[in-house]
Amino acid sequence: MKKFSVLFFITFLIINALSIHGVEAYSYGDPNEEKVAEVYKEMLVKLDENPPNFTAAKKVYESVQEEIDMHMGPEPSKLILKNLADEDKQALTDNMEKLLVLNIARRLDSIENNFSEYETTKRLLAKGFATYEALSPKVEAEHPENDKKIRADFDEALQALGNPGLFGVGKKEASLDSFKQNKDEILDTLKSEFKIKSLEVGHFSESATESNAGGKKDWTDVSNIRNWIPLILIAAVIIAVVIFVVRRRRK
């Protein structure tokens, strides 16, 4: 009876570990921090000082200006720098919000154009969602139903990416059509929410390939054999315990 209880407990641990790993494997993963969203939040802190610290806010923005100009053209930065020079807090906040919407559109466009690159598209969707997280408080405060809709669309977009599984195990087919539908719904809601007529401002990068140097690793991708190492180690320890218990009882 004791032997059965031990084996049952060990089996439960294995199943629980696999289940947790499976759930994590189909999460957004580590967004590796979206710089533009982080800058937006830092700028809001500076603008909320009394009086608003436009000088500090400008320094924060300049830390990502080169990247913004490269991906979206010079137009957004020209307008934002003018708002900073004019010390127009409301216009500056509005234009930074529109910039984040443009950044979400850029991420989603990159996913659509490189849909077969699962690891990269999943990371880009995480970045897009991280950008929306910075905008979410305003959307939720004014139109909570839109916040729920956008979040649901992001969740469905994640499902649409599919999952290559590990050696075909746990594979889930991707659906580009479903992703496009969710993408359009996200962007249409954001355009309406932030009163943006068109997202065709500047230019978007056509390549979804990004350097991950210095970034954090995404430990939730089951297609990466390294992510299975902790489970393999756990299984090895459990097997060793079972062998030890069985041998001890035989003696």
Side-chain angles (χ1 to χ4, degrees), residues 61-221:
Y61 181 77
E62 288 174 342
S63 68
V64 292
Q65 182 182 346
E66 182 178 354
E67 180 180 345
I68 290 170
D69 291 350
M70 178 176 65
H71 292 301
M72 303 181 197
E75 293 83 3
S77 288
K78 286 180 181 179
L79 193 54
I80 288 169
L81 291 174
K82 184 179 185 302
N83 297 151
L84 285 163
D86 294 342
E87 297 190 352
D88 189 338
K89 179 179 177 180
Q90 186 59 55
L92 176 60
T93 302
D94 290 345
N95 285 320
M96 283 300 301
E97 289 168 351
K98 291 177 181 179
L99 178 64
L100 292 194
V101 175
L102 290 176
N103 197 51
I104 293 172
R106 179 172 71 90
R107 298 302 190 190
L108 297 182
D109 279 348
S110 293
I111 293 172
E112 182 178 337
N113 294 334
N114 300 268
F115 197 69
S116 62
E117 301 174 23
Y118 174 72
E119 292 185 21
T120 300
T121 55
K122 184 183 176 186
R123 186 171 71 249
L124 290 176
L125 186 62
K127 285 178 175 289
F129 185 71
T131 305
Y132 176 69
E133 287 273 67
L135 294 171
S136 176
K138 180 176 180 179
V139 178
E140 185 179 21
E142 297 181 359
H143 301 100
E145 68 282 3
N146 282 345
D147 181 65
K148 291 180 180 178
K149 177 174 173 23
I150 292 171
R151 289 177 177 276
D153 283 328
F154 266 109
D155 287 339
E156 291 177 13
L158 177 63
Q159 298 291 327
L161 297 183
N163 195 322
L166 182 68
F167 305 123
V169 178
K171 183 176 180 180
K172 176 179 170 60
E173 293 297 330
S175 173
L176 180 57
D177 289 338
S178 296
F179 175 80
K180 286 181 178 179
Q181 180 179 346
N182 295 129
K183 170 196 166 186
D184 290 342
E185 290 179 0
I186 290 169
L187 296 183
D188 286 345
T189 306
L190 288 173
K191 283 168 64 178
S192 174
E193 190 70 29
F194 292 96
K195 299 177 176 59
I196 301 175
K197 293 182 179 179
S198 173
L199 296 175
E200 300 299 322
V201 178
H203 65 276
F204 293 159
S205 174
E206 293 297 325
S207 174
T209 305
E210 297 187 355
S211 171
N212 206 25
K216 299 175 184 178
K217 300 295 185 181
D218 184 354
W219 296 104
T220 60
D221 183 6

Side-chain angles (χ1 to χ4, degrees), residues 223-242:
S223 65
N224 191 334
I225 188 65
R226 292 176 299 175
N227 296 345
W228 286 82
I229 292 177
L231 286 180
I232 294 173
L233 292 176
I234 291 172
V237 171
I238 292 173
I239 292 171
V241 171
V242 171

Side-chain angles (χ1 to χ4, degrees), residues 2-21:
K2 289 183 179 180
K3 181 179 179 181
F4 175 79
S5 298
V6 172
L7 291 175
F8 176 81
F9 178 70
I10 292 172
T11 302
F12 172 78
L13 288 178
I14 294 175
I15 294 173
N16 188 55
L18 289 172
S19 298
I20 292 174
H21 190 80

